[in-house]
Amino acid sequence: MFTIAKKKSGAKARRSLAGNIAIFGFVALLGLFSAFPFIFAIITSLKPLDELLQFPPRLIVMRPTLNNFTDLFQLASNMWVPLSRYIFNTAFISVVGTVLHVLFAAMAAYPLAKHKFPGKNLIFSVIVMALMFVPQVTFIPQFVLMSQMNIVNTYGALILPWIGASLGLFLMKQFIEQLPDAILEAARIDGASEYKTFFSIIWPNSTPAIMTVVIFQFINLWNYAPKELIFGESLKVFRMALEQIVAGDPIARMGAGSAAAVILMIPPIIVFVLLQRKVVETMTFAGIK
């Protein structure tokens, strides 16, 4: 009996080990598939021009070189606006737009999650519907609105449309809704105002959701290229400048374009790696997991 039980136990352990190996192998395959575009972009940026023009393209670099990055900065140095100006514009709208969006999204989500007022469900339904629209359908209404406000071709036109983005508001509302009402009632009994309750209780306890919104918003703003709202060269963002450089001679500057794509990807990846642990927790609260 002992031998039979031992054999059954060993078989179960072997099945469990095999199952774990299969699961980890499947997850590793999915991870590799997700990381493939980034890996391919890095490989492409290290290829000389003759390897870039090969068809079908190879996944291995035969003669890796950094000339594509050198060419990119040489081309950028020939522009009449310094490259640092484009980088500053991108960093400025990314940081300011992210901070303002997180602050206003949290402040708007608090009454939606913890207060009762007429039209609350209708407002939330509109927010959910807004998640379904692609950004392109808002280009014309945005331009008309910015034009009437006389802020076209200013930093305001770059930042203002992102302050009221619906995704951040949705995530913050779903997260704040899960916070216990008892702590809010205790604060009100102690005489705390709504502003003090928000900044002393809601804001500190919403850190996972805030970090998640920061990730999404920073990535969106870093890759933002509002060609319909910005016409002045000194206000253009880094991505628009790189597109102009590559567009001058698409074939000869193919390597510089690949280097530009890698440079554009680095800051969002750094932000995501630093804050990604908070994403799963927030998605769990939001019911997306």
Side-chain angles (χ1 to χ4, degrees), residues 48-49 55 70 79 83 95 101 103 119-120 127 144 148 155 199 202 249 258 277 283:
L49 185 59
F55 185 83
T70 307
M79 302 177 73
L83 189 64
V95 173
H101 171 65
L103 179 62
K120 172 183 170 180
I127 293 168
V144 173
Q148 291 178 348
Y155 283 121
F199 286 108
I202 299 296
D249 191 342
S258 303
R277 283 191 302 176
M283 292 304 179

Side-chain angles (χ1 to χ4, degrees), residues 103-278:
L103 179 62
F104 281 89
M107 294 178 69
Y110 172 46
L112 280 173
K114 293 298 182 183
H115 288 74
K116 295 180 181 178
F117 55 87
K120 172 183 170 180
N121 293 331
L122 177 62
I123 294 173
F124 184 64
S125 299
V126 172
I127 293 168
V128 174
M129 288 177 62
L131 294 172
M132 303 176 187
F133 292 100
V134 295
Q136 286 78 8
V137 302
T138 64
F139 284 174
I140 294 177
Q142 272 186 16
F143 177 79
V144 173
L145 182 61
M146 298 300 156
S147 178
Q148 291 178 348
M149 296 172 68
N150 293 321
I151 59 173
V152 173
N153 207 32
T154 66
Y155 283 121
L158 291 167
I159 296 172
L160 193 60
W162 290 93
I163 294 179
S166 55
L167 179 60
L169 179 54
F170 173 77
L171 291 176
M172 291 301 302
K173 187 262 182 185
Q174 296 299 93
F175 189 90
I176 293 173
E177 208 168 44
Q178 306 302 319
L179 297 179
D181 294 333
I183 57 175
L184 302 180
E185 293 171 0
R188 293 186 184 114
I189 291 173
D190 290 341
S193 64
E194 289 296 336
Y195 287 104
K196 187 173 180 58
T197 302
F198 174 77
F199 286 108
S200 301
I201 297 175
I202 299 296
W203 183 266
N205 286 287
S206 302
T207 302
I210 291 171
M211 294 299 104
T212 303
V213 176
V214 166
I215 291 173
F216 287 129
Q217 190 70 356
F218 183 85
I219 292 173
N220 288 333
L221 280 166
W222 183 265
N223 295 311
Y224 188 36
K227 299 174 184 176
E228 73 282 1
L229 296 174
I230 295 299
F231 311 112
E233 196 64 31
S234 61
L235 285 175
K236 289 182 179 178
V237 296
F238 189 42
R239 179 182 165 183
M240 296 169 70
L242 295 178
E243 288 177 353
Q244 287 182 184
I245 292 173
V246 177
D249 191 342
I251 296 178
R253 297 177 182 180
M254 188 183 298
S258 303
V262 172
I263 293 174
L264 275 172
M265 282 193 289
I266 291 175
I269 289 175
I270 292 174
V271 173
F272 179 77
V273 169
L274 292 176
L275 305 178
Q276 57 90 22
R277 283 191 302 176
K278 303 293 183 183

